Amino acid sequence: AIAITEQPVSVSVPVGYSFTLRCRAEGRTALQYQWFCQHQSVCHQIPGATKQDLPITAQQTQLYTCRINDLYKNAVFSDWVKVEVHQCVARGVPPRLWRGEPVIVLNPTEQRVEVGKPLQLQCAAMGVPAPSYQWYRNGNLLEHQKKKKLRITHAKVSDSGTYLCCASNSHGEHWTNAVDIHIEGGETLPPAEHLQLCLLVFLLATGKIALLVGNNRYQHHPNLMAPVADVFELSRLLEQLGFQVVSLLD
């Protein structure tokens, strides 16, 4: 008989940031609320947290849920939500007027990985609500890489390229720095055989081919994010028109 009409949402904020978790429900009788938190597998009731809104000043990463019960002792729990707290933010600290748009606090780093070894890239962003993540390689969306950590168990030469991640929420999006990943140790063809292979591919390529190059890094100009998005959008459009698309960055 109790229906939750507004679930609390996860957030990712700097230490000391103040905000409010909200929960709303409807029932046939008056409803009572009680918030709980969990830290390092220990869950406990928050004393005095018996209202729909839970004000928090972020100190450490914790999980929260709200129990709602009616006068007939029916009870339901809200979704568990994560309050992720960044203790040390090197740069990109949100200004006082920050409204929760994504702010990158950890960028991936350039790596050289041997073929067959694991590859892991990591990023992090603050945001209210907590941002979602999407990784790209050479401007192309990596469909199954939607977490802060990108993991490839056994790296292949084809995994080499320029990687970056987009953090987004309802207020906007923010991109990490682009980093080059080198997968080493694969077999390489002698120059003559490589040229023959290139000629063979050229002769066999009877369809429509599009080569897209997005320049993001300039010697005397700030890094641009638009070329990455443009290459991705044009790739999708050209593929719909029957083109085979090769996308490159920088």
Side-chain angles (χ1 to χ4, degrees):
I2 302 173
I4 296 179
T5 57
E6 181 179 350
Q7 295 277 5
V9 297
S10 297
V11 301
S12 181
V13 296
V15 65
Y17 185 79
S18 297
F19 62 97
T20 300
L21 290 180
R22 293 167 49 89
C23 184
R24 299 289 187 273
E26 295 178 350
R28 296 177 182 175
T29 70
L31 299 178
Q32 298 173 329
Y33 293 78
Q34 176 62 59
W35 289 88
F36 296 79
C37 70
Q38 177 178 318
H39 178 63
Q40 295 180 346
S41 301
V42 178
C43 180
H44 61 86
Q45 179 175 306
I46 304 174
T50 57
K51 297 183 179 180
Q52 296 174 319
D53 294 343
L54 177 66
I56 296 175
T57 298
Q59 297 299 330
Q60 61 185 358
T61 297
Q62 296 189 118
L63 300 175
Y64 291 84
T65 187
C66 185
R67 184 192 67 206
I68 306 102
N69 61 272
D70 62 16
L71 300 182
Y72 298 115
K73 297 185 179 181
N74 298 311
V76 296
F77 283 83
S78 72
D79 295 339
W80 281 95
V81 294
K82 185 176 184 179
V83 174
E84 183 179 39
V85 180
H86 298 273
Q87 298 288 342
C88 181
V89 179
R91 63 183 183 88
V93 178
R96 293 183 179 181
L97 298 179
W98 184 53
R99 300 188 182 279
E101 63 274 13
V103 175
I104 301 295
V105 295
L106 177 64
N107 279 285
T109 57
E110 182 173 340
Q111 294 186 38
R112 293 182 179 273
V113 179
E114 292 183 12
V115 169
K117 299 292 184 180
L119 167 63
Q120 178 172 295
L121 297 175
Q122 186 174 357
C123 70
M126 296 186 296
V128 181
S132 58
Y133 296 87
Q134 178 60 64
W135 286 89
Y136 296 79
R137 182 182 69 241
N138 296 336
N140 296 314
L141 182 146
L142 299 174
E143 185 174 352
H144 301 295
Q145 300 291 355
K146 298 178 180 293
K147 298 181 179 180
K148 287 189 293 185
K149 292 183 179 179
L150 177 149
R151 290 189 178 94
I152 298 175
T153 306
H154 303 289
K156 306 182 296 295
V157 173
S158 58
D159 292 320
S160 296
T162 301
Y163 286 75
L164 78 168
C165 186
C166 178
S168 62
N169 64 12
S170 55
H171 297 291
E173 63 182 27
H174 199 173
W175 297 75
T176 67
N177 294 339
V179 296
D180 294 326
I181 302 302
H182 308 275
I183 310 300
E184 302 172 335
E187 295 182 0
T188 58
L189 292 174
E193 294 185 19
H194 184 267
L195 177 59
Q196 291 176 356
L197 179 60
C198 291
L199 290 173
L200 179 61
V201 170
F202 178 76
L203 291 172
L204 293 177
T206 57
K208 297 182 291 184
I209 300 177
L211 171 63
L212 300 180
V213 180
N215 286 324
N216 182 48
R217 297 180 182 177
Y218 292 89
Q219 186 175 0
H220 301 293
H221 194 283
N223 285 2
L224 303 176
M225 284 294 101
V228 178
D230 292 345
V231 166
F232 171 63
E233 293 296 337
L234 282 172
S235 295
R236 291 199 304 178
L237 176 62
L238 289 169
E239 287 173 353
Q240 292 173 1
L241 296 175
F243 281 82
Q244 299 177 47
V245 180
V246 178
S247 300
L248 301 174
L249 291 180
D250 303 322

